[in-house]
Amino acid sequence: MAIANDSLVYAAKLEEVQRSGRLTLLLHGQPVVLFVEGDEVHAVNNRCPHMGFPLDRGSVHDGILTCHWHHARFDLCSGGTFDQFADDVQVYPVQIVDGDIFIDLAPRNDLAAHYGKRLQDGLERGIRLVVGKSVIGLIEVAEPVEPFRVGLEFGTTFRGSGWGQGLTMQTCLMNMVADLAPADRARALYHGLDAVARDTNGMAPRFPIDPLPAAGADLTTLKRWFRQFIEVRDAEGAERCLISAVEQGDRIAVADMLYAAATDHRYVQIGHVMDFINKALEALDHVGWDRAGAVLGSVVAGLANGDRMEESNAWRHPVDLIALLDAAFKEIELLWNRESAGEWETVGGKSLAEMVLADDPRAIVDALVHALRGGASGEQLAAAVAHAAGLRIARFHTSNEFGDWDTVLHTFSFANAVHQSMRRAPSIELLRGVFDAAMSVYLDRFLNTPPAKLPALVPHDGDTPEQLLAELLDRLDRQQQVNEAGDLVARYLGTGASSEALLATLGRALLREDRDFHTIQTVEAACRQYHLREGDPSAAAMLIAAARYLAAHSPTVRAQGQTFRIAERLHRGDRLFEG
């Protein structure tokens, strides 16, 4: 017999299948079950695409195959499922020649498209297991940025209120992928996508705004209008200005527009707005500028409607920080871009970061202005303030209320966003954000009263890097291990071992917990700050801060991890129903 298709394989005698109504086979490593339905023979993969239960234990009625484990139903002819929590089961074309059954074992075409479609289904319906399985499959046939791109497009399309926690978490985790062990990268993408699915659940979609007609205003005018519209909380007008600027293709000018409006007011929405803008731009760094309109347009509503700290009591009394900053802003306009060879890094033997931790807001402002006058760049000032904000977490005392961890985190994530933004598009307007962050560090001073002692970077006798990392994971598996976790990080760094394994371990500890917006923000910002000052002894405090914050928020129920482990086992072909 001549068979043209090389993927056709002999399966069984027709009479053998007709006698029993079904027959289970293992063909070229594939579990296959043959069903007789009327005069037809159907061949399907014997693993239920939901959770791997053997479909030969299911039932067939009126052309519908039902899996008895979770009652997923499939069209026996096409394999299509009627229950979206499952998936289409793979069917194999059948040929019968002289009473012999042959089936075509050719794999599915275009796996990337299949997994991408299933990921979209999982996001739309909030089905965590579908998201997990799709991510694991997709990154085997495509780059990690592909599932990130799907989540970014979904989140910016289906969250009417715009950019939020879910997209921020997804971008944080995408930023961390390079620091993770290869085995944890799919898990990071899964956590981020799950956050997007939950953040969009029940939301109305966003409808895009078109740019102004082709003969619209230039970038300088658009920036002025944008700031005016944000000033009066007109999000729709502001968004049209922004989209029009995006169309002109100048990425730095667009970032500058956003930064200027975000720092026209003080510490907007306790720093979230600046962090969201920074994360939206970082997301575009990963996927490219093609979706800049949708991505950046999604941050405008939060920018227009966010609380402004000049309206808050804490920034006005007992010290009027707003008046203090307004006076400083007038002075720094004269100093911006001034070249000088003066000494600015230390004053009276103290680093600039140490001076930002002072108890006197005027002294903090004076120190920043002095550094600028001495030749410091905006990025250098931003780096010092971000380091001071990280030290607030590293020195956070556990005698404070638990919710106060979030207070120091908000300052740190804002300071990190300002620092990253200064590296992207420095400007005199953005420099105001550096001073805002410094004042927020000042307002957090009581959460370091008394300050937790920074552990020394000195290993104990007998410490090995491997043992310290194992103990760190163990400590993070228990409650109330804040100081112990920070101490283990310091001892590890004191051994001189590579930081790569430590960063991967912190990432693994983060990803085994259930989604937590603030913890993900903290660990990601700390890792970014660590990389920017790697090699400097002061960098260690950033990872100590990350470990302490993570320890304060661990362990959790870990339901997300349970679902992801199931997805991993299914992908490997494990039999979940045995044992």
Side-chain angles (χ1 to χ4, degrees):
M1 179 183 61
I3 300 176
N5 191 336
D6 292 338
S7 60
L8 281 176
V9 300
Y10 172 77
K13 293 289 186 181
L14 176 61
E15 61 183 22
E16 182 182 2
V17 182
Q18 289 175 328
R19 278 198 305 269
S20 60
R22 68 186 64 188
L23 182 66
T24 305
L25 305 164
L26 185 66
L27 299 175
H28 292 210
Q30 294 292 320
V32 177
V33 58
L34 304 178
F35 289 103
V36 175
E37 174 77 353
D39 294 330
E40 300 290 328
V41 176
H42 303 276
V44 303
N45 191 292
N46 196 33
R47 285 172 56 82
C48 176
H50 176 221
M51 291 185 71
F53 195 71
L55 289 173
D56 62 358
R57 300 191 195 179
S59 60
V60 175
H61 178 71
D62 192 25
I64 294 177
L65 168 62
T66 301
C67 176
H68 286 183
W69 201 4
H70 294 94
H71 307 290
R73 299 158 299 166
F74 308 92
D75 169 22
L76 192 56
C77 288
S78 69
T81 185
F82 298 99
D83 301 284
Q84 290 301 304
F85 64 80
D87 194 353
D88 295 343
V89 67
Q90 185 169 8
V91 298
Y92 305 103
V94 172
Q95 288 189 23
I96 301 175
V97 181
D98 297 332
D100 291 328
I101 299 173
F102 295 84
I103 67 173
D104 186 347
L105 290 178
R108 279 178 168 138
N109 294 325
D110 199 351
L111 285 175
H114 170 74
Y115 288 128
K117 175 61 171 64
R118 286 302 290 158
L119 178 54
Q120 186 80 17
D121 294 339
L123 291 170
E124 289 173 358
R125 292 165 176 79
I127 307 174
R128 187 177 279 171
L129 182 59
V130 171
V131 171
K133 290 192 293 186
S134 302
V135 169
I136 293 169
L138 192 54
I139 67 170
E140 281 197 354
V141 295
E143 293 297 317
V145 74
E146 189 54 35
F148 175 78
R149 187 194 312 276
V150 173
L152 183 65
E153 293 180 0
F154 188 88
T156 53
T157 301
F158 294 106
R159 192 173 193 272
S161 58
W163 191 282
Q165 293 186 7
L167 286 167
T168 300
M169 293 164 69
Q170 182 188 227
T171 307
C172 283
L173 292 167
M174 185 65 193
N175 288 344
M176 292 180 64
V177 161
D179 284 330
L180 299 173
D184 289 328
R185 291 170 184 171
R187 187 185 291 261
L189 295 167
Y190 155 78
H191 272 266
L193 287 157
D194 184 49
V196 170
R198 288 177 171 268
D199 213 21
T200 54
N201 184 36
M203 282 274 186
R206 286 193 80 246
F207 296 104
I209 292 178
D210 292 331
L212 293 166
D218 60 25
L219 286 170
T220 301
T221 303
L222 288 171
K223 178 180 177 180
R224 184 175 68 252
W225 289 349
F226 180 73
R227 294 169 75 177
Q228 289 173 0
F229 287 135
I230 293 296
E231 183 68 28
V232 298
R233 301 186 186 276
D234 179 358
E236 191 171 85
E239 186 172 347
R240 192 160 204 198
C241 290
L242 182 67
I243 299 304
S244 301
V246 168
E247 286 293 300
Q248 298 191 32
D250 189 332
R251 303 184 186 193
I252 298 301
V254 171
D256 180 64
M257 286 176 64
L258 289 163
Y259 297 155
T263 55
D264 279 339
H265 295 279
R266 312 279 61 80
Y267 196 49
V268 180
Q269 201 63 36
I270 57 174
H272 283 315
V273 165
M274 178 59 79
D275 189 47
F276 289 0
I277 291 171
N278 179 54
K279 284 294 174 282
L281 288 163
E282 289 176 350
L284 292 174
D285 291 340
H286 290 296
V287 304
W289 197 250
D290 291 349
R291 285 195 57 84
V295 171
L296 299 181
S298 71
V299 305
V300 174
L303 176 55
N305 299 319
D307 294 337
R308 300 163 177 178
M309 289 303 105
E310 60 264 36
E311 301 166 343
S312 72
N313 179 67
W315 285 65
R316 290 289 190 178
H317 303 285
V319 179
D320 190 342
L321 301 180
I322 305 304
L324 184 62
L325 290 175
D326 286 343
F329 295 159
K330 292 177 182 178
E331 185 172 0
I332 64 175
E333 286 183 13
L334 304 174
L335 300 174
W336 183 249
N337 286 332
R338 174 181 172 182
E339 293 185 5
S340 171
E343 176 64 37
W344 65 269
E345 293 191 52
T346 61
V347 178
K350 290 186 177 181
S351 70
L352 185 56
E354 290 175 311
M355 298 194 70
V356 174
L357 295 169
D359 289 339
D360 181 355
R362 187 174 298 279
I364 296 170
V365 169
D366 288 346
L368 293 172
V369 172
H370 175 83
L372 191 66
R373 188 182 295 117
S377 67
E379 181 185 342
Q380 289 167 324
L381 264 64
V385 174
H387 184 64
L391 286 171
R392 285 282 189 234
I393 300 176
R395 296 174 177 174
F396 184 91
H397 202 286
T398 54
S399 63
N400 292 302
E401 285 195 289
F402 183 75
D404 285 330
W405 281 104
D406 292 346
T407 302
V408 289
L409 170 274
H410 288 140
T411 302
F412 182 46
S413 62
F414 175 76
N416 174 66
V418 172
H419 184 199
Q420 303 297 342
S421 301
M422 269 292 186
R423 299 177 68 239
R424 183 187 300 274
S427 69
I428 181 62
E429 293 98 347
L430 184 54
L431 187 59
R432 297 174 302 187
V434 177
F435 283 75
D436 289 350
M439 291 299 94
S440 191
V441 171
Y442 158 74
L443 289 170
D444 296 344
R445 66 197 182 283
F446 292 116
L447 302 178
N448 286 170
T449 306
K453 185 178 179 181
L454 281 178
L457 306 183
V458 179
H460 295 176
D461 289 342
D463 278 349
T464 66
E466 296 76 15
Q467 168 256 317
L468 289 168
L469 293 181
E471 187 176 350
L472 177 60
L473 282 174
D474 179 64
R475 290 285 185 176
L476 293 173
D477 208 15
R478 301 183 240 165
Q479 293 182 340
Q480 307 296 329
Q481 301 295 304
V482 171
N483 294 328
E484 292 82 357
D487 181 62
L488 286 166
V489 167
R491 286 160 55 191
Y492 177 90
L493 292 172
T495 67
S498 167
S499 62
E500 290 181 9
L502 175 58
L503 291 166
T505 299
L506 289 170
R508 176 166 296 176
L510 173 68
L511 294 170
R512 71 183 179 183
E513 305 300 336
D514 281 352
R515 61 189 290 268
D516 177 10
F517 174 48
H518 290 141
T519 307
I520 290 172
Q521 277 187 303
T522 303
V523 175
E524 187 266 348
C527 290
R528 296 294 293 275
Q529 288 297 315
Y530 176 80
H531 282 306
L532 289 173
R533 55 181 64 240
E534 197 164 0
D536 187 318
S538 67
M542 299 299 98
L543 298 187
I544 292 169
R548 296 184 84 246
Y549 194 101
L550 184 53
H553 296 78
S554 300
T556 61
V557 175
R558 300 181 181 175
Q560 278 180 299
Q562 170 70 2
T563 300
F564 187 78
R565 282 193 297 275
I566 290 171
E568 282 185 313
R569 294 183 61 193
L570 289 170
H571 192 73
R572 291 196 304 262
D574 290 358
R575 295 170 174 265
L576 302 186
F577 50 89
E578 290 186 347

